[in-house]
Amino acid sequence: MIAYARNGHTDKFGIPRQSREESPIVTRIVFEPEYRIPEALRGIEGYSHLWLLWGFSEVDSWSPTVRPPRLGGNTRMGVFATRSPFRPNPIGLSSVRLVGIEDGDLIVSGADVLDGTPIYDIKPYLSFSDSHEEATNGFAEAHKEDHLEVPLLRDLIYILSQDPRPGYQDDPEKEYKMDYAGYTITFRVEKANVLVEKIKKKAK
């Protein structure tokens, strides 16, 4: 292990199933002391994307067949035809965007890893050799666009970003309540951060 990941994913439930280019989630790659050498990163700022080679830290067994979530969890496929964590060697591979370098750490976006995930290696992503336009995606092709719409969340992000508080209010401990689309949203504001305390559906 050369480093470990730091992000907000403290529970594997909710982690994206694949690394995603459009993900807003930022992960800090924190190097172990013996690899925290500025020279080891020389030139890396010239790359827009990187490969992370990492370990599924919470997996202790493997199976020759697995049930991919994208197939509803009922159809079995060979483990080597999937990206399941239940592998003989539980190693993950993610393509991420390099956001920057900060205090000797790498800041990346799009990583599909748990907080504390061990990082085994980092390599530059090369578009002329790592991207294959003719590649086929097997059974994953039919499900690559599967996602849920979250209109309430989308609307709330917009509304709360406009700061609906009265102009004279600036108490970080004060809770504000707002009704929207049949829900009561309770939130606080600390400096420039909105903290949503509760979202409760209103009784009819």
Side-chain angles (χ1 to χ4, degrees):
M1 182 175 98
I2 64 168
Y4 57 90
R6 279 284 173 253
N7 59 29
H9 287 300
T10 54
D11 187 331
K12 54 184 183 177
F13 182 82
I15 294 178
R17 291 193 177 101
Q18 304 295 338
S19 54
R20 293 280 188 173
E21 168 73 17
E22 70 275 13
S23 173
I25 297 171
V26 171
T27 297
R28 178 182 289 266
I29 307 301
V30 181
F31 288 91
E32 293 289 352
E34 61 188 298
Y35 303 109
R36 201 174 185 80
I37 305 170
E39 288 78 9
L41 297 178
R42 184 182 297 157
I44 202 169
E45 69 281 354
Y47 296 96
S48 63
H49 292 74
L50 304 171
W51 288 112
L52 298 183
L53 193 66
W54 49 275
F56 289 99
S57 55
E58 296 194 2
V59 175
D60 57 11
S61 64
W62 81 283
S63 173
T65 62
V66 295
R67 294 181 292 185
R70 288 299 190 196
L71 296 182
N74 296 315
T75 303
R76 284 197 169 273
M77 292 289 180
V79 66
F80 299 125
T82 75
R83 296 190 174 188
S84 167
F86 301 102
R87 323 185 70 78
N89 292 303
I91 296 173
L93 180 68
S94 298
S95 171
V96 299
R97 175 180 287 278
L98 176 61
V99 175
I101 303 171
E102 186 177 286
D103 299 328
D105 301 332
L106 294 180
I107 311 300
V108 303
S109 67
D112 51 341
V113 297
L114 186 70
D115 182 63
T117 290
I119 308 296
Y120 297 137
D121 204 358
I122 299 165
K123 298 177 185 291
Y125 175 97
L126 302 177
S127 61
F128 59 81
S129 64
D130 294 347
S131 176
H132 303 280
E133 293 183 1
E134 74 283 5
T136 57
N137 298 312
F139 67 83
E141 177 68 26
H143 301 275
K144 66 179 181 179
E145 301 298 336
D146 289 359
H147 65 280
L148 299 175
E149 292 293 334
V150 192
L152 178 65
L153 182 59
R154 178 196 60 213
D155 293 354
L156 285 181
I157 289 174
Y158 175 77
I159 294 168
L160 294 175
S161 71
Q162 305 300 310
D163 194 353
R165 297 175 300 162
Y168 57 84
Q169 294 281 5
D170 194 26
D171 181 356
E173 299 301 320
K174 181 176 176 57
E175 288 189 345
Y176 300 88
K177 291 189 177 182
M178 174 185 73
D179 289 343
Y180 180 77
Y183 291 85
T184 298
I185 297 91
T186 304
F187 68 96
R188 295 187 296 110
V189 178
E190 290 185 2
K191 296 183 180 178
N193 297 312
V194 177
L195 306 176
V196 176
E197 303 284 353
K198 185 187 299 183
I199 299 178
K200 183 177 180 180
K201 192 171 183 63
K202 297 179 68 175
K204 293 183 178 180

